[in-house]
Amino acid sequence: MDERQISLIKHSWNHILPQKEETGGLFYQTLFWDDPSLRFLFGTNLSPQIRKFMDMMTFIVDNLQPFDRLEKELKALAHRHFQYGVLAVDYDTVGDALMKTLAERLQEQWTPETEIAWRNLYRTITQLMLNSLKSRL
Ligand code: HEM
């Protein structure tokens, strides 16, 4: 990710933050619509999970530079996700749901350039997470 992409990500996430709960809710709704089989991995009450996911996304967006601090956190996140039973293919489903949610929430601010920046970020995160699990998944 270059400086311009980082700035687009930060700028668009700032627009999401005031509607954090609604956006997180829409994200999980989209995810379970796309793949209902993923619902059973989560507890009945999704509210705490919505908060945790959105807070982690905020942490990621806040720490894109320098990336090394994020690396340690993401590796630990990957290992916890392995224990939850998350498979490599699920990362694509989650990425699609996240992109659809951002597009829906950001509307005209979801420009092609912003979309490329977010896709790039998600790819970077998942590559790092999946690489750290290489021998296990
Ligand atoms: C960039 C990608 C992702 C981020 C930032 C993320 C973030 C989080 C966070 C912050 C938690 C709270 C617990 C913890 O920190 O370990 C969590 C839990 C969880 N995530 Fe993710 N996640 C991601 C990808 C995925 C994927 C691909 C799946 C697959 C369906 C998934 C399924 C789960 C499940 C099952 C839990 C545990 C829920 C529970 O205990 O009820 N996550 N995730």
Side-chain angles (χ1 to χ4, degrees):
M1 271 162 299
D2 56 29
E3 296 278 337
R4 165 91 183 144
Q5 289 187 320
I6 290 176
S7 140
L8 284 168
I9 289 167
K10 284 185 187 291
H11 185 76
S12 51
W13 193 250
N14 274 339
H15 281 268
I16 293 287
L17 279 180
Q19 5 153 353
K20 208 162 93 169
E21 304 285 314
E22 298 92 318
T23 306
L26 178 63
F27 163 70
Y28 281 104
Q29 199 182 314
T30 309
L31 180 65
F32 300 144
W33 175 265
D34 287 350
D35 186 349
S37 76
L38 294 178
R39 181 63 184 91
F40 85 98
L41 289 174
F42 296 86
T44 330
N45 179 13
L46 263 186
S47 304
Q49 180 58 34
I50 290 175
R51 255 192 313 278
K52 285 179 199 168
F53 178 78
M54 294 304 282
D55 287 349
M56 181 57 86
M57 288 308 301
T58 304
F59 177 81
I60 291 171
V61 170
D62 284 347
N63 288 281
L64 291 174
Q65 270 170 327
F67 200 76
D68 20 324
R69 231 181 94 195
L70 209 50
E71 242 170 69
K72 205 173 136 230
E73 193 71 37
L74 289 176
K75 281 182 186 164
L77 187 69
H79 285 267
R80 292 198 296 277
H81 278 69
F82 176 76
Q83 268 145 14
Y84 303 145
V86 174
L87 303 174
V89 65
D90 300 329
Y91 283 84
D92 290 341
T93 319
V94 162
D96 284 347
L98 182 61
M99 297 308 131
K100 283 186 203 165
T101 305
L102 292 173
E104 175 65 29
R105 283 280 156 182
L106 291 168
Q107 293 288 323
E108 69 277 2
Q109 282 185 56
W110 186 247
T111 60
E113 210 189 352
T114 303
E115 178 171 355
I116 290 169
W118 273 99
R119 287 192 182 279
N120 200 357
L121 170 61
Y122 190 76
R123 199 181 322 113
T124 308
I125 295 172
T126 49
Q127 270 171 5
L128 199 150
M129 289 175 77
L130 291 173
N131 275 342
S132 75
L133 297 172
K134 222 183 221 159
S135 53
R136 305 169 81 181
L137 273 176

